[in-house]
C-alpha cells in the first residue's frame, strides 16, 4: 500500500516526510490507518543520535492509535474496522517474562530499535519508493499514514474511546507506570515540596 511517513536517513538528522510502500500484513500482523500519533522525547533522541538505531532509513513513532484496515492470514482476535492502540513494548504472552507477569521485559522487545521484525533481522515491512528497506521504530512506525504491525504490540479498544487520546496511552502510561509521586502539601505549618 502506498503511504507517506516521516523518516530519518541518518543521525543526527531531520525528520523527512516521504512516499513509502507498506507491505500487506502477514500472519500475526495487522495493517492500521493511523488516526493519531504522539511525538515522544525518544523520537528526538533518535533524531539527535543519542539513541542509535539499527537501520536507516528509519520510520519514527512508537505511540499511536487507529483503525485496522487489513488482517494477516491466520491472525485471530482482530477484524477490519477494529479500533486499536499500540504499545511500544510488545507482549507475546508466552515467554518466561510474560508468564511471570513481567510483560514489560517480554523477549519480543529485545530488538525494539533494530527496525526489522523482532524474530528476523532481515525482514522489514516498509520500503521507500525506490525499494530501499525502511526500519520501524519499536516495530510500529506511527509517523506514517498507514502502518503494518505485529499483534504483540496491538491492543483492541472500544470504538467509543477517542483515538487521539488513546494514542498517548501507548507510551505515556507505559513509561510512567512505575513512577512514584508524593503529594505536595502546603499551608500554614506544613512543609512544601
Amino acid at each position: 500500500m502506498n503511504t507517506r511517513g516521516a523518516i530519518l536517513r541518518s543521525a543526527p538528522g531531520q525528520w523527512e516526510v516521504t512516499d513509502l510502500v507498506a507491505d500487506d500484513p502477514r500472519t500475526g500482523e495487522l495493517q492500521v490507518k493511523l488516526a493519531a500519533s504522539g511525538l515522544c522525547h525518544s523520537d528526538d533522541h533518535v533524531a539527535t543520535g543519542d539513541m542509535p538505531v539499527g537501520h536507516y532509513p528509519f520510520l519514527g513513532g512508537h505511540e499511536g492509535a487507529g483503525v485496522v484496515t487489513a488482517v494477516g492470514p491466520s491472525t485471530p482476535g482482530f477484524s477490519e474496522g477494529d479500533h486499536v492502540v499500540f504499545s511500544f513494548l510488545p507482549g507475546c504472552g508466552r515467554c518466561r517474562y510474560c508468564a511471570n507477569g513481567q510483560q514489560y521485559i517480554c523477549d519480543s522487545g529485545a530488538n525494539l530499535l533494530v527496525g526489522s521484525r523482532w524474530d528476523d533481522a532481515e525482514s522489514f515491512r516498509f520500503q521507500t519508493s525506490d525499494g530501499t528497506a525502511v526500519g520501524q521504530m519499536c516495530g510500529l512506525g506511527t509517523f506514517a499514514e498507514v502502518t503494518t504491525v505485529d499483534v504483540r504490540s496491538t491492543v483492541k479498544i472500544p470504538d467509543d474511546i477517542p483515538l487521539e487520546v488513546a494514542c498517548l496511552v501507548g507510551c505515556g502510561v507505559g513509561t510512567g507506570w512505575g513512577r512514584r509521586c508524593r503529594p505536595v502539601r502546603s499551608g500554614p505549618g506544613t512543609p512544601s515540596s
Side-chain angles (χ1 to χ4, degrees), residues 98-190:
C98 287
N100 287 318
Q102 297 174 299
Q103 297 87 341
Y104 55 91
I105 52 175
C106 174
D107 283 342
S108 299
N111 297 312
L112 289 177
L113 295 177
V114 171
S116 62
R117 282 303 182 243
W118 304 307
D119 50 356
D120 183 352
E122 300 301 318
S123 185
F124 296 88
R125 296 299 178 269
F126 277 91
Q127 300 84 41
T128 60
S129 54
D130 68 3
T132 302
V134 175
Q136 287 171 266
M137 186 166 190
C138 299
L140 298 171
T142 63
F143 288 178
E145 297 167 326
V146 171
T147 190
T148 302
V149 298
D150 191 294
V151 295
R152 290 176 280 186
S153 288
T154 312
V155 178
K156 191 179 339 182
I157 60 173
D159 292 352
D160 61 345
I161 295 176
L163 294 171
E164 65 276 6
V165 173
C167 86
L168 300 174
V169 176
C171 177
V173 170
T175 302
W177 181 260
R179 178 153 165 70
R180 293 173 49 164
C181 299
R182 73 183 170 116
V184 177
R185 290 181 261 156
S186 62
T190 341

Side-chain angles (χ1 to χ4, degrees), residues 17 50 54 76 82 144:
V17 177
D50 293 337
D82 285 345

Side-chain angles (χ1 to χ4, degrees), residues 23 41 156 187:
D23 287 352
H41 202 191
K156 191 179 339 182

